[in-house]
Amino acid sequence: MTEKRIPKYIYELFHNTPRQGPGNLDCTAKAFNLCGELPDEPLVLDLGCGSGTQTLDLAKLCNGRIIAVDSHQAFVDKLAERVRARGLEHRISPRTGDMAAPPAPEGPFDLIWCEGAVYNVGFERGLALWRELLKPGGYVGLSESAWFRPDIPKECWEFWEETYPDIRPVEAQLEAARRGGYRVMGNFPLPKRCWWEEFYVPLQDRIQEMDRKYAGNQEAGEFLETMRHEIRIYENYSDWYGYEFYVLRRAD
Ligand code: SAH
C-alpha cells in the first residue's frame, strides 16, 4: 500500500483486509528462522504493523514480547482487539506512533520486524535509525519492494517512478544494508501467492464494495482506478519486481 494516495480512501480500503501488504505466515516463519541466535524470549519491535497479521504470526513463532507500532490509530485498535480476543495482552503491546521514533522505551531490542512498511521512512534511513534501537548482534527482518530483473518494460518503470522511485535492485539493497552496518543472514523473494491470495484477491473484493458505495463520486472513482491499475501492473510485470525479504544482523 502506498500512502501517497488519498489517505481517507486508502485506509477505508484496507481497514478490513487481512493484511495491508503482501506476505504470509510461511514467509514470516522462513525469515524468522534465519535469525539463528535469538534468546528464548526475545524482545521484538514490529514497525508499520498495520492490523497486525504478522505480529500475531511472530507471537506464534517465539515466546517473546512484541511491541507493535503503526501510525494509523484504526489499525492499532484492530490489532488490540485481535490481541484481546486471543488473550495475548501479556505478549503483544499495540501502540500508535512513528516508526522513525517508535514509542518503545523497553529497548534495546533483540529483533526489529518491518513487513512492507520501510518505504515510509526509506530503506537506508530505516536501517540507520533501527540500528540504534537494537542490542549488539540484534536482528532486523524486513520486506521491501525490489527489482528482480534489469530489462524493465516502460509501462512498469513508469508506474514505479510515479509510485515509489526508491525501489532498487536486490543487490543494491543488500549493498546498502552492508554499508549501513549489518551482516546479511539471508534474503528471498516473496512468492507470487503472497501477492495474490493474501493481498490482491481480498483487496479486489473491497474495491468492488467501495465501487458500489461511492458510485458517482469522481474522487473515489479515480482512487479505486489507481488501485486496479496497481493490480494490473503486478499481473503483467511480476517477473520484474516484487517484495524481497531481508534478514540482517547488526554487525559490531
Ligand atoms: N506490516 C503490515 C502493514 C504494511 S502497510 C502488513 O504487512 O500487512 C504499511 C503500514 O505502515 C500501514 O499500516 C501504515 O499505516 C503504516 N505507516 C505509514 N507510515 C508510518 C510511520 N511513519 N510510522 C509507523 N507506521 C506507518
Side-chain angles (χ1 to χ4, degrees):
M1 108 185 227
T2 40
E3 302 311 281
K4 283 175 198 157
R5 303 187 214 157
I6 321 180
K8 70 175 167 178
Y9 296 122
I10 201 143
Y11 285 126
E12 180 174 347
L13 180 66
F14 281 98
H15 185 59
N16 278 319
T17 54
R19 303 192 60 107
Q20 289 79 40
N24 68 12
L25 171 60
D26 285 352
C27 293
T28 301
K30 183 172 170 181
F32 181 82
N33 290 329
L34 285 168
C35 292
E37 288 179 48
L38 281 172
D40 288 342
E41 296 189 2
L43 185 59
V44 182
L45 182 61
D46 182 12
L47 296 173
C49 62
S51 58
T53 294
Q54 80 287 310
T55 320
L56 298 169
D57 289 345
L58 285 169
K60 289 183 203 141
L61 293 165
C62 73
N63 290 319
R65 167 133 194 262
I66 307 171
I67 316 293
V69 175
D70 199 280
S71 56
H72 185 54
Q73 182 71 47
F75 288 155
V76 177
D77 291 346
K78 182 91 185 173
L79 174 57
E81 189 186 303
R82 298 172 86 186
V83 166
R84 271 195 305 278
R86 289 163 179 76
L88 286 172
E89 294 96 326
H90 58 298
R91 303 266 324 274
I92 300 177
S93 307
R95 288 182 196 157
T96 308
D98 183 0
M99 62 167 76
E106 294 86 345
F109 291 87
D110 296 298
L111 173 63
I112 296 181
W113 209 255
C114 184
E115 289 197 30
V118 70
Y119 65 85
N120 292 304
V121 288
F123 189 81
E124 264 136 330
R125 179 160 171 254
L127 288 182
L129 292 168
W130 304 338
R131 200 176 183 285
E132 304 310 312
L133 304 179
L134 283 174
K135 291 179 189 166
Y139 297 90
V140 172
L142 83 166
S143 59
E144 164 72 323
S145 323
W147 293 123
F148 296 152
R149 285 172 57 163
D151 52 340
I152 303 153
K154 185 166 176 282
E155 187 187 28
C156 179
W157 177 264
E158 283 170 359
F159 168 80
W160 279 96
E161 270 299 292
E162 173 83 4
T163 308
Y164 183 52
D166 284 348
I167 182 173
R168 278 178 295 164
V170 171
E171 273 314 315
Q173 289 169 342
L174 289 170
E175 187 44 41
R178 292 192 190 98
R179 263 200 325 273
Y182 291 90
R183 278 199 293 131
V184 178
M185 306 301 294
N187 59 290
F188 58 91
L190 293 190
K192 291 182 186 179
R193 68 169 182 279
C194 288
W195 288 77
W196 289 118
E197 279 82 340
E198 326 274 343
F199 187 51
Y200 282 151
V201 169
L203 202 60
Q204 274 166 330
D205 293 341
R206 287 287 297 139
I207 292 172
Q208 276 182 10
E209 280 172 37
M210 283 180 68
D211 254 338
R212 284 192 292 273
K213 175 175 169 188
Y214 288 108
N217 175 329
Q218 192 188 343
E219 189 185 52
E222 281 168 11
F223 164 74
L224 293 167
E225 184 47 35
T226 65
M227 295 309 304
R228 279 191 289 266
H229 179 60
E230 174 180 324
I231 296 173
R232 275 198 303 276
I233 292 287
Y234 188 73
E235 204 163 21
N236 292 335
Y237 303 113
S238 58
D239 287 345
W240 279 270
Y241 73 90
Y243 265 18
E244 187 79 3
F245 222 124
Y246 299 94
V247 179
L248 311 171
R249 187 168 197 187
R250 180 175 146 170
D252 288 282

